[in-house]
């Protein structure tokens, strides 16, 4: 089957892209409101794109009625945000934060989630998260129905049990982030395996 994206409705493009590009990691983004309240919103249009500089990217669309989301307004005002990675223990909070609530509602309070003050940014971070990345906006890329937020990671909070004894690598027995597939379908990375590339010599010789 062939699909001409130049002729398709946005909803149809979304369906195909999100069905096939997955699993997508989930960023539970925390920001601070002008009044000093907390805001939380899950983003599955998210990934890391560079380590030098350390850049993550969020893709955020407006509300259904066209209004800008609180997360975007807070990011524009402060130039800061925090990405909290999500595992099963944090999944309920992620879902509560994704509910359609009135502006200025503290979704994290609604979810009963504890929030700690940021180390280098004003937005808080979630101690329950396996890994929280404090970010400063590097640039904003504007589209009519999508804002791409490029953020530079300036500080990382990591739950100690998620790292090995040397504190260098993720402990795969503990760190099991969940990711979104499509619609309400998710996957958890608790079944990991190792794949190693064959020696170049065996490939050039046509060996299996």
């Amino acid at each position: 089957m062939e699909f001409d994206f130049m002729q398709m409705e946005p909803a149809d493009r979304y369906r195909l892209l999100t069905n096939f590009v997955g699993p997508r990691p989930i960023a539970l983004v925390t920001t601070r409101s002008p009044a000093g309240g907390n805001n939380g919103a899950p983003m599955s249009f998210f990934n890391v794109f560079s380590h030098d500089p350390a850049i993550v990217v969020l893709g955020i669309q407006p509300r259904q009625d066209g209004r800008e989301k609180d997360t975007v307004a807070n990011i524009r005002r402060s130039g800061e945000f925090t990405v909290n990675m999500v595992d099963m223990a944090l999944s309920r909070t992620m879902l509560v934060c994704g509910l359609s609530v009135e502006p200025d509602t503290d979704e994290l309070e609604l979810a009963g989630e504890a929030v700690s003050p940021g180390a280098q940014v004003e937005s808080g971070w979630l101690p329950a998260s396996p890994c929280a990345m404090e970010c400063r906006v590097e640039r904003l890329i504007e589209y009519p129905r999508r804002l791409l937020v490029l953020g530079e990671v300036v500080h990382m909070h990591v739950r100690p049990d998620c790292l090995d004894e040397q504190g260098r690598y993720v402990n795969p027995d503990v760190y099991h982030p969940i990711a979104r597939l499509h619609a309400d379908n998710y996957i958890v990375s608790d079944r990991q395996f190792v794949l190693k590339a064959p020696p170049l010599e065996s490939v050039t010789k046509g060996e299996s």
Side-chain angles (χ1 to χ4, degrees):
M1 300 176 69
E2 309 295 328
F3 299 92
D4 184 349
F5 269 46
M6 298 297 98
Q7 304 298 323
M8 292 177 65
E9 292 294 324
D12 293 327
R13 294 198 298 264
Y14 175 88
R15 173 175 48 80
L16 287 170
L17 287 169
T18 58
N19 273 240
F20 285 103
V21 181
R24 289 170 286 131
I26 301 166
L28 182 47
V29 179
T30 48
T31 56
R32 187 63 58 85
S33 73
N38 293 309
N39 177 265
M43 311 283 174
S44 61
F45 278 46
F46 153 74
N47 219 312
V48 59
F49 283 84
S50 172
H51 73 285
D52 189 16
I55 299 294
V56 297
V57 180
L58 308 173
I60 310 175
Q61 65 182 2
R63 295 174 181 267
Q64 291 294 330
D65 59 9
R67 290 180 298 161
E68 196 167 68
K69 291 181 177 177
D70 288 353
T71 297
V72 171
N74 294 338
I75 287 174
R76 289 190 191 278
R77 177 191 56 81
S78 68
E80 299 173 342
F81 62 96
T82 298
V83 167
N84 302 272
M85 301 303 293
V86 178
D87 59 8
M88 284 303 297
L90 204 56
S91 60
R92 180 183 178 276
T93 294
M94 174 199 71
L95 294 172
V96 170
C97 288
L99 297 175
S100 296
V101 296
E102 289 301 311
D104 298 323
T105 299
D106 186 334
E107 294 90 350
L108 296 162
E109 182 179 24
L110 190 65
E113 193 66 54
V115 183
S116 291
Q120 297 192 45
V121 303
E122 69 172 27
S123 53
W125 63 283
L126 308 183
S129 173
C131 169
M133 294 173 277
E134 298 184 6
C135 304
R136 293 197 181 102
V137 172
E138 197 280 330
R139 72 186 67 185
L140 302 176
I141 302 176
E142 309 269 0
Y143 292 93
R145 291 284 301 170
R146 181 73 58 170
L147 174 70
L148 298 186
V149 180
L150 279 69
E152 181 173 8
V153 180
V154 297
H155 195 94
M156 180 182 283
H157 306 270
V158 179
R159 208 174 63 210
D161 63 332
C162 290
L163 290 174
D164 61 18
E165 293 182 356
Q166 290 73 40
R168 290 176 53 83
Y169 296 101
V170 159
N171 180 351
D173 294 327
V174 174
Y175 181 53
H176 299 150
I178 63 174
R180 193 174 183 188
L181 292 170
H182 57 276
D184 292 331
N185 296 285
Y186 295 81
I187 191 169
V188 61
S189 58
D190 58 353
R191 295 181 61 189
Q192 301 182 28
F193 55 91
V194 175
L195 287 176
K196 293 189 176 182
L200 179 60
E201 295 78 10
S202 68
V203 176
T204 56
K205 292 178 181 178
E207 299 176 5
S208 60

